Amino acid sequence: MGLMCSRGYVSHFRSVTKFYQYLLALAFAVKEINENPDILPNITLGFHILNCYYLLKMTYKATLSLLFTHQSFIPNFRCDTQKNLIAVIGGLMTEVSTSIARILAIYKIPQFTFGSFSPAQGGKMLFPSLYQMAPNEVYQYMGVVRLLHHFRWTWIDLIAVDNDNGDRFLQSVVSLLSQNKICYSFLLRIPKRTFEEETLMLLLGLQEQYSHLVESKANVYFVYGEPPTLQILSMLLSASEQLPLRGKVWIVTSHWEFESLSIQKIWNTETFHGALSLTVHSNQPPGFQKFLQMIKPSWAKGDGFIQEFWEEAFSCSLKISNMQEEHLRICTGEEKLETVPGILFEMSMTGHSYNVYNAAYAVAHAFHAIYISTTMQRRFKDGGHLEFLNVQPWQLHLYLRNMSFNNSAGDTVHFNENGELVEGFDVTNWITFPNSSFVRVRVGRLDPQAHQGQELTLNSDLIVWHESFNQVLPLSVCNDNCRPGYHRKKKEGEKFCCYDCAPCPEEMISDQIDMEACVKCPDDCFANYHQNQCIPKDISFLSYKEPLGITLVVLAISFSLVTALVLRTFIKYKDTPIVKANNRSLTYILLISLLLSFLCSLLFIGQPQDVTCLLRQTSFGIIFCVALSSVLAKTITVVLAFMATKPGSRVRKWIGERMAYSVVVSFSFIQVAACILWLSTSPPFLDKDMHSLSRKIILECNEGSITMFYFVLGYMGFLAMVSFIVAFLARKLPDIFNEAKFITFSMLVFCSVWLCFLPTYLSTKGKYMVAVEVFSIVSSGTGLLGCIFSPKCYIIILRPEMNKTYELQQNGSSKNVIEVSYFYHTRRSLFFHRAL
């Protein structure tokens, strides 16, 4: 195997000691594989490591050196080489990986990138031999957007490397941010190159943009960069002591590492305290830290990196003759790696080292599958050792595509159809300390295979923020959030994340912060005072428990009892002249109908039901129509009785109970027919009026057909007017026992009540509308009862001496009335003549 270390040592002036762990991860994996009798028994894996120095020409040269002779090489010819190259692990940056892949694709040699790889470079289509040990970096952008949404951060700054990868990043992220209603206020592009002679000019060129970054109101920075870019950023922050960045939340991609160049050495990491990153998932293989503790400058021959690493990490020199500065001490070789600050070296396996570790095992498992294949030819060479025949690198692809295994850390390793590792990202919280050490705290997980909207799981309680936030969740918005009860109103000329807050219109609410528009409450709810909550409306109806309902019930029952008492009185004194003179049968019908009308009003009180809605208007209309028909019959009887007293009058044959009953039945039949038609075509039904009152639901009976409702009322009005006219014409007849005068007043009261009822009924809503109708029913019934029967009850109860035939005959003016009345009741002409 060959390892193309795309990170590590840029030049002899500038090295990154931290990335020495990648080499050690490969050495540890190969050591475990060679010591494991269950994988590739009797076969020993080796590896060769070359540096690319972040330069494309050096990357190409190193790749060719792996394929051909080290000292001098001729492309496509393998001269004087003992290497049997089966796979390449590298690199970390996209440019390095693609440069290697262009050459390896010719020979179909499997290549494993242990860093993120941009799909815009062509992916599996252009590089079929490429396998990505890190998930597609596009998933990180989606994860950051989910992270921003989780904390409601809508106003951020972007920092990106100034190259093609940075352009692709911005093209993808800016669109994602806009789709998810997140804005960026400032964009800082950081140059890619980090050569020593260019560093000072780069830092000076960034100073002006850096001041804008410091003055930005955004509290969140989203950073995308490759290792050299991030080193420039850390140098820029360390050099800008006059304008330090304080109290910011850094969100970085998986490229991010707290790392130090030799020219920086120890630098202040306080600025990045509390940063969040989507790091490549990592685990700790058993024995790795123990392996690191065994590392010494003389631990292995052929390690061309250990000496420079050791000197840079411990600021000492292994050889006195090579000491260039007097202040450097001599290395003892017994220094402990665990004492080195985290920005120089970590004892825990990092995500990219974990990818190198898994890549080595992926090659070993694929090679082992070939080893146990029964179709592979085998032969013994001299010495009896088993040897493979013509094992070519391209043969590994078939096994790599379908491979799945569990590593020693317990994680499953397998690739999808695009050659990408099926894995997610860890959400890491970086906690820094003054001595340049730090701790990675895993606070969440990004699973790209999860359902949309559920990719991110986060334990916010574990996150440690920068000290300036006092452990309160940081805010990063263009302006203060619109609290519930308000909605966002766009500012002219500003990005959509900058807005004013306007109160919700009447009867509309917003129950969340920063709502785009207020929403209307459901019909059965209303907006509260603060317009941030919908409150269920109360049900409103004329209840038996409220004072108004109790009053009407008491009135209805009281007058029904009075009516029953009057009826009992008339039945008791049915044989007295005054009862006989007023037509007992019609009187009983009238009193019974008045009694039922009072009781009928109780149907209007209480919670409406389907049955009560069907009965109350129709029963009221029919019962009152019977009462009015009885009054009309009594009026007609009085008029006909006086007309019959004239000599030779032919009216006598019309006088009798049959005529009175026919009047009651015929006029009542019309009302009954109308009610039957009403119930059969468009009957009343239970209804909920949710709009008439803003905070109440009116539970009412919808009349169904308004035409039929007003026809029923109009017909009763017609009967009342006819009775009034007839009674008015007969008002000057002799007044003893003459009902015409009283009927006139009763009909006047009845018409007055119902004429007042119509405008009042139409102008009220809810239970008060019902109360108006109940009051009208009770009032009109009381008018009929009082005007017609109170004079008679007065004579019957208080002046019984007047309720005698003798006393009545003393009044000459009323003599004819008595005679006609007796004639009507007895139907005997003989009695009529005797009375004369």
Side-chain angles (χ1 to χ4, degrees), residues 22 51 90 102 121 166 248 265 270 290 440 514 546 556 632 783:
Y22 302 160
N51 199 348
R102 289 189 181 98
Q121 293 292 332
K248 303 294 183 180
K265 217 57 179 174
E270 181 187 359
K290 185 178 180 180
R440 304 169 186 250
D514 279 345
E546 59 182 300
L632 180 59

Side-chain angles (χ1 to χ4, degrees), residues 323-442:
M323 291 181 62
Q324 299 177 358
E325 298 184 20
E326 296 181 357
H327 67 273
L328 288 178
R329 63 181 178 85
I330 299 176
C331 299
T332 64
E334 298 300 324
E335 289 83 1
K336 303 295 184 181
L337 284 178
E338 51 263 35
T339 64
V340 177
I343 60 174
L344 296 178
F345 190 81
E346 291 185 65
M347 295 296 290
S348 298
M349 183 174 282
T350 64
H352 294 116
S353 296
Y354 192 59
N355 288 344
V356 173
Y357 177 82
N358 286 330
Y361 264 95
V363 174
H365 278 279
F367 203 18
H368 183 73
I370 298 175
Y371 176 79
I372 63 175
S373 175
T374 57
T375 60
M376 181 63 66
Q377 297 180 1
R378 307 179 184 182
R379 70 177 179 87
F380 287 92
K381 61 184 295 188
D382 294 340
H385 296 290
L386 187 66
E387 183 182 67
F388 280 93
L389 289 178
N390 300 322
V391 177
Q392 300 298 323
W394 57 264
Q395 292 177 289
L396 271 69
H397 290 296
L398 176 63
Y399 298 92
L400 288 172
R401 294 189 189 101
N402 303 311
M403 181 187 59
S404 178
F405 66 91
N406 293 330
N407 63 16
S408 61
D411 289 334
T412 302
V413 179
H414 70 282
F415 301 96
N416 61 18
E417 64 277 5
N418 295 321
E420 301 170 355
L421 186 70
V422 180
E423 188 55 86
F425 293 90
D426 294 331
V427 182
T428 302
N429 184 213
W430 298 75
I431 303 174
T432 65
F433 302 97
N435 63 352
S436 295
S437 61
F438 57 85
V439 175
R440 304 169 186 250
V441 179
R442 190 178 302 174

